[in-house]
């Protein structure tokens, strides 16, 4: 099979198309022919070594495809069935070994590229708005990177429950996308960001900030919160946040700061299915729109990473294996 392999940590150039043996599955796994592969910032972290591990690796953890082989202990899935996943290492490949425990059936109405990119970002948006901090109708929240994959989904979910959403974006094109998703106010990044947010909230501040940017926005996120507000720091696309004195949370208004991760909000099969089905069913029914900002041939994974790191993209990004195109 064709796959993307990383033999040393570094820039996008270390993502090398390679011919490798097909994976062998265990009794609790599925062998899946991939139709589409999701691209996420965690793939960048693993490529550069921020999340260290033994090399070589095939990056990627998210995708969709058709079951080609079923392990001896698997009863929930069958050969020929469409599935998607958000936690299968080695997903930048034409064939992936997927633990049946993390696979989800895909509704017929959901196209493969959408299924491949809806789970990780969609379930992230779901746990942020449902569990990390659940805003009430009429409350105001701030969502950074409002035209990104998570930002667009999070905005839609919040707006659907009549929450006022303020977002940050970097361009006019991204502002248009963010407003179409339901953002009431769209701001540009800048030193006066927190001041502008407070002007929009009559000086009070927002109930919560959902921040996947990290270092570049952290201070503004804290300053934009109301008393007893919550900062959910779920990513660090601009770099990690430096060490932080917790005593500052007192003076800023008895704030709450959490650094959540999807794995802790999908701790068992029931919770995983609940979040995954909520997202995929909403997509199938037309209530939630997943924007595919760009798709790339699997062999051009390096170009996809360059675009992602340059913040030149909107919505979700996917890789398409050559086998899925023929």
């Amino acid at each position: 099979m064709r796959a993307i392999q990383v033999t040393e940590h570094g820039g996008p150039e270390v993502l090398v198309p390679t011919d490798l043996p097909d994976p062998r599955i265990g009794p609790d796994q599925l062998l899946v022919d991939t139709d589409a592969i999701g691209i996420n910032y965690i793939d960048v972290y693993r490529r550069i070594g921020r999340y260290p591990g033994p090399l070589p690796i095939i990056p990627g953890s998210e995708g969709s495809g058709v079951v080609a082989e079923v392990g001896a202990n698997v009863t929930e899935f069958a050969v020929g069935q469409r599935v998607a996943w958000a936690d299968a290492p080695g997903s930048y490949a034409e064939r992936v070994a997927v633990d049946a425990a993390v696979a989800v059936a895909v509704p017929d109405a959901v196209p493969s590229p959408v299924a491949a990119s809806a789970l990780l970002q969609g379930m992230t948006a779901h746990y942020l708005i449902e569990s990390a901090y659940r805003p009430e109708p009429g409350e105001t929240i701030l969502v950074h990177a409002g035209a990104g994959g998570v930002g667009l989904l999070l905005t839609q979910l919040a707006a659907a429950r009549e929450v006022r959403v303020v977002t940050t974006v970097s361009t006019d094109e991204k502002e248009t996308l963010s407003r179409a998703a339901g953002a009431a106010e769209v701001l540009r990044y800048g030193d006066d960001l927190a001041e502008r947010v407070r002007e929009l909230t009559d000086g009070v501040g927002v109930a919560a900030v959902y921040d996947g940017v990290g270092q570049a926005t952290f201070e503004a996120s804290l300053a934009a919160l109301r008393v007893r507000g919550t900062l959910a720091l779920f990513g660090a696309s601009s770099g990690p946040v430096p060490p932080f004195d917790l005593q500052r949370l007192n003076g800023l208004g008895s704030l709450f700061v959490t650094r959540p991760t999807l794995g802790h909000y999908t701790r068992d099969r029931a919770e995983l299915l609940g979040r995954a089905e909520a997202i995929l069913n909403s997509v199938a029914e037309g209530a939630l729109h997943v924007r595919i900002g760009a798709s790339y041939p699997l062999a051009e994974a390096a170009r996809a990473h360059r675009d992602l790191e340059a913040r030149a993209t909107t919505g979700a990004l996917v890789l398409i294996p050559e086998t899925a195109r023929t």
Side-chain angles (χ1 to χ4, degrees):
M1 70 171 186
R2 200 70 169 159
I4 300 298
Q5 189 175 59
V6 172
T7 59
E8 60 179 334
H9 296 304
E13 69 280 356
V14 304
L15 297 166
V16 180
T18 309
D19 288 316
L20 296 172
D22 288 352
R24 294 183 178 180
I25 63 169
D28 300 307
Q29 292 185 306
L30 308 171
L31 181 64
V32 183
D33 292 326
T34 52
D35 290 332
I37 301 153
I39 302 171
N40 297 283
Y41 229 94
I42 193 171
D43 304 342
V44 174
Y45 299 156
R46 291 192 172 118
R47 189 202 77 217
I48 65 177
R50 183 174 297 170
Y51 292 172
L55 295 174
I57 61 167
I58 299 172
S61 59
E62 182 180 38
S64 69
V66 177
V67 177
E69 185 180 338
V70 176
N73 295 340
V74 177
T75 59
E76 189 177 348
F77 300 99
V79 171
Q81 186 173 1
R82 295 179 67 219
V83 294
W85 60 91
D87 188 20
S91 287
Y92 281 20
E94 292 176 342
R95 293 194 128 186
V96 181
V98 180
D99 290 344
V102 303
V104 177
V106 177
D108 291 341
V110 179
S112 294
V114 172
S117 55
L119 280 188
L120 195 151
Q121 293 180 350
M123 290 193 296
T124 296
H126 190 273
Y127 85 69
L128 286 171
I129 204 74
E130 293 288 342
S131 304
Y133 179 81
R134 194 176 196 277
E136 297 295 328
E139 286 190 323
T140 303
I141 63 172
L142 174 61
V143 177
H144 287 303
V150 174
L152 289 171
L153 296 173
L154 186 54
T155 298
Q156 291 177 71
L157 294 174
R161 65 171 56 166
E162 299 182 351
V163 172
R164 183 188 183 209
V165 184
V166 180
T167 65
T168 54
V169 301
S170 58
T171 67
D172 290 345
E173 176 195 7
K174 292 182 178 182
E175 176 175 350
T176 299
L177 293 173
S178 184
R179 289 192 183 278
E185 306 287 347
V186 181
L187 303 175
R188 298 292 188 273
Y189 301 100
D191 293 338
D192 62 343
L193 175 59
E195 179 181 343
R196 285 178 285 150
V197 171
R198 289 197 171 273
E199 288 174 356
L200 293 173
T201 56
D202 297 323
V204 174
V206 295
V209 180
Y210 303 92
D211 188 344
V213 177
Q215 183 179 30
T217 52
F218 182 71
E219 290 296 334
S221 295
L222 290 174
L225 285 166
R226 72 183 185 191
V227 171
R228 299 199 326 239
T230 296
L231 169 55
L233 182 72
F234 65 95
S237 62
S238 68
V241 173
F244 175 74
D245 180 5
L246 292 178
Q247 181 61 29
R248 290 185 58 203
L249 301 178
N250 182 337
L252 290 169
S254 298
L255 303 181
F256 297 87
V257 176
T258 180
R259 180 57 177 91
T261 188
L262 179 59
H264 294 155
Y265 287 86
T266 52
R267 293 188 67 189
D268 55 36
R269 180 69 174 165
E271 189 173 30
L272 170 69
L273 287 179
R275 296 195 192 280
E277 290 174 358
I279 294 300
L280 291 177
N281 290 340
S282 293
V283 172
E285 294 163 2
L288 186 66
H289 174 66
V290 178
R291 173 181 169 81
I292 304 299
S295 63
Y296 305 78
L298 176 61
E300 296 183 19
R303 179 164 68 92
H305 275 225
R306 289 189 187 95
D307 291 347
L308 178 63
E309 291 180 90
R311 300 189 192 181
T313 63
T314 58
L317 308 181
V318 294
L319 298 172
I320 305 297
E322 189 63 29
T323 50
R325 296 175 159 219
T326 58

